[in-house]
Amino acid sequence: MMKNDADLQYWAVPVLIASIFAFAVAHTFFSVYEIGIDTIFVCFAEDETINDGTPGREYYMSKNLMQWVDNSGEALKNLRKRKAQQKAQAKAGKSGDVAMEDM
């Protein structure tokens, strides 16, 4: 389309301008999305700090959000355990290699 246009001398300039505009729009959208997610997590943290789930001090967060955060915490604990096990296995493997070299 642009190759056959006699009036258009430099096709890179419109493409560059469109790319910069597209980047600006995408960046703005994701920035607003990030602020929304951050706000939800701050509200979650404040809700856990102020309320304890007892009658009269119920949580305002949804049950799904509470379960998701709890599951994320468990997943992080499992990940840390696996990394510690891998480090222990790597140390055991290295010490086994050293013992074999001594023989």
Side-chain angles (χ1 to χ4, degrees), residues 78-91:
N78 291 337
L79 180 64
R80 289 182 188 125
K81 285 180 185 177
R82 274 189 260 145
K83 284 185 178 182
Q85 289 173 351
Q86 289 174 349
K87 285 182 181 180
Q89 289 175 351
K91 284 184 180 180

Side-chain angles (χ1 to χ4, degrees), residues 37-49 61 65:
I37 296 298
D38 289 345
T39 303
I40 289 171
F41 282 130
V42 167
C43 291
F44 172 83
E46 284 295 316
D47 191 22
E48 274 205 334
T49 302
M61 69 186 98
L65 178 61

Side-chain angles (χ1 to χ4, degrees), residues 8-37:
L8 186 61
Q9 299 295 325
Y10 302 104
W11 60 269
V13 174
V15 170
L16 182 65
I17 292 171
S19 299
I20 291 170
F21 182 72
F23 174 79
V25 169
H27 180 73
T28 303
F29 174 79
F30 284 118
S31 294
V32 170
Y33 185 77
E34 180 182 13
I35 290 170
I37 296 298

Side-chain angles (χ1 to χ4, degrees), residues 42-85:
V42 167
C43 291
F44 172 83
E46 284 295 316
D47 191 22
E48 274 205 334
T49 302
I50 296 170
N51 301 313
D52 59 3
T54 59
R57 293 184 66 190
E58 294 88 6
Y59 289 122
Y60 287 100
M61 69 186 98
S62 69
K63 300 289 183 197
N64 290 336
L65 178 61
M66 191 182 308
Q67 289 173 351
W68 183 81
V69 171
D70 289 341
N71 289 341
S72 297
E74 290 176 23
L76 286 173
K77 288 178 188 176
N78 291 337
L79 180 64
R80 289 182 188 125
K81 285 180 185 177
R82 274 189 260 145
K83 284 185 178 182
Q85 289 173 351

